[in-house]
């Protein structure tokens, strides 16, 4: 049997992406929680360039970066496909994944920056949300109305964004401003409840992390 280990952090959306993909594929794995303030020798050895989670270790070989790991899992293990089989749809899934990776930091910065930098981040986040709101006008998921690769990458926008809004009191998404995105987010969390980390736990975690910084 193949040996699969995942070095991750329970509350990280990036780590959660990989866990989600492994569960979809039905892959048995050993989860190793990392203390990011005191990184283990295994993590530093497995990801010597970036020194961060998640890292997938498959038969002693390390794969880093969550987007790369998702593609590796899809290509390596049997089970439901995560990336579409059709070349065009596969390209579109990768396009949206790249978009989310590029624009995601602006959303996070809305909650961690202050002053002019925060306002700039909000402007960037609103532009991203406008694009996504338009994209979900007539469809259920990112590609071909089938949940997959780009949707897993979007877990930060679907679940973690709402948690950060509640903890910080900074609300980016309303049903009036972004009705399609708002509806997509609710449906996303409802349909995928079994795969998502408990929202209550995330709230406790991020309250301890964010609220002291707001004072």
């Amino acid at each position: 049997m193949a040996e699969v280990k995942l070095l991750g952090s329970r509350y990280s959306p990036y780590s959660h992406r990989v866990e989600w993909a492994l569960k979809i594929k039905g892959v048995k794995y050993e989860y190793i929680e990392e203390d990011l303030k005191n990184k283990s020798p295994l993590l530093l050895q497995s990801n010597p360039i970036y020194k961060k989670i998640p890292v997938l270790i498959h038969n002693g070989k390390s794969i880093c970066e969550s987007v790369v790991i998702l593609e590796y899992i899809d290509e390596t293990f049997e089970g439901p496909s995560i990336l579409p089989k059709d070349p065009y749809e596969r390209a579109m899934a990768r396009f949206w994944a790249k978009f989310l990776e590029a624009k995601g930091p602006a959303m996070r910065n809305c909650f961690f920056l202050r002053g002019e930098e925060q306002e700039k981040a909000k402007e960037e986040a609103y532009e991203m949300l406008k694009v996504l709101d338009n994209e979900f006008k007539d469809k259920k998921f990112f590609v071909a109305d089938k949940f997959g690769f780009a949707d897993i990458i979007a877990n930060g926008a679907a679940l973690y964004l709402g948690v950060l809004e509640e903890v910080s009191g900074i609300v980016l998404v309303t049903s009036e401003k972004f009705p399609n995105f708002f509806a997509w987010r609710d449906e996303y969390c409802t349909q995928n409840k079994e795969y998502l980390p408990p929202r209550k736990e995330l709230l406790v975690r991020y309250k301890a992390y964010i609220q002291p910084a707001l004072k």
Side-chain angles (χ1 to χ4, degrees):
M1 179 182 291
E3 182 184 59
V4 179
K5 296 180 181 180
L6 172 61
L7 311 184
S9 174
R10 178 173 175 78
Y11 302 105
S12 164
Y14 304 101
S15 180
H16 171 249
R17 291 172 179 175
V18 179
E19 286 198 84
W20 197 340
L22 290 169
K23 289 175 182 177
I24 287 174
K25 289 286 189 178
V27 177
K28 293 184 179 179
Y29 63 97
E30 176 187 355
Y31 176 78
I32 301 173
E33 178 75 14
E34 281 288 334
D35 179 355
L36 301 183
K37 293 182 179 179
N38 184 26
K39 298 175 182 178
S40 72
L42 179 59
L43 174 59
L44 299 177
Q45 177 186 346
S46 303
N47 190 357
I49 297 176
Y50 294 115
K51 302 178 176 62
K52 62 182 183 179
I53 54 95
V55 177
L56 187 76
I57 304 175
H58 181 210
N59 288 335
K61 296 179 179 179
S62 303
I63 305 95
C64 307
E65 296 297 299
S66 62
V67 176
V68 176
I69 296 172
L70 289 189
E71 292 210 38
Y72 178 86
I73 290 171
D74 198 33
E75 294 170 356
T76 303
F77 299 102
E78 296 181 357
S81 295
I82 296 172
L83 272 159
K85 297 298 185 183
D86 178 81
Y88 175 76
E89 291 179 354
R90 182 181 288 254
M92 288 299 97
R94 287 177 170 142
F95 169 84
W96 284 114
K98 188 172 183 179
F99 174 84
L100 291 160
E101 287 290 274
K103 301 297 183 179
M107 281 195 180
R108 291 192 296 276
N109 288 339
C110 293
F111 305 100
F112 294 102
L113 299 179
R114 297 292 174 266
E116 291 184 7
E117 290 183 325
Q118 185 185 54
E119 292 306 311
K120 184 179 178 181
K122 284 183 179 179
E123 289 178 10
E124 292 180 24
Y126 285 137
E127 288 303 312
M128 175 185 181
L129 288 166
K130 285 178 185 176
V131 171
L132 293 176
D133 191 66
N134 184 65
E135 187 63 21
F136 291 122
K137 188 187 300 181
D138 299 311
K139 64 181 186 179
K140 195 173 181 181
F141 298 115
F142 277 97
V143 179
D145 263 357
K146 183 180 179 183
F147 188 90
F149 182 73
D151 303 284
I152 293 176
I153 298 299
N155 69 338
L159 176 62
Y160 289 80
L161 174 59
V163 170
L164 291 172
E165 286 179 317
E166 183 171 339
V167 170
S168 68
I170 299 170
V171 178
L172 299 178
V173 180
T174 65
S175 57
E176 292 77 24
K177 280 185 179 179
F178 306 109
N180 301 314
F181 179 86
F182 190 89
W184 168 83
R185 185 170 73 174
D186 282 354
E187 183 69 14
Y188 185 109
C189 292
T190 300
Q191 283 201 14
N192 296 292
K193 189 174 182 180
E194 64 179 298
Y195 290 112
L196 297 172
R199 195 172 191 277
K200 288 184 179 179
E201 285 190 21
L202 292 177
L203 285 169
V204 171
R205 167 70 175 182
Y206 283 103
K207 277 180 182 177
Y209 185 58
I210 290 180
Q211 288 186 345
L214 296 174
K215 296 178 180 178

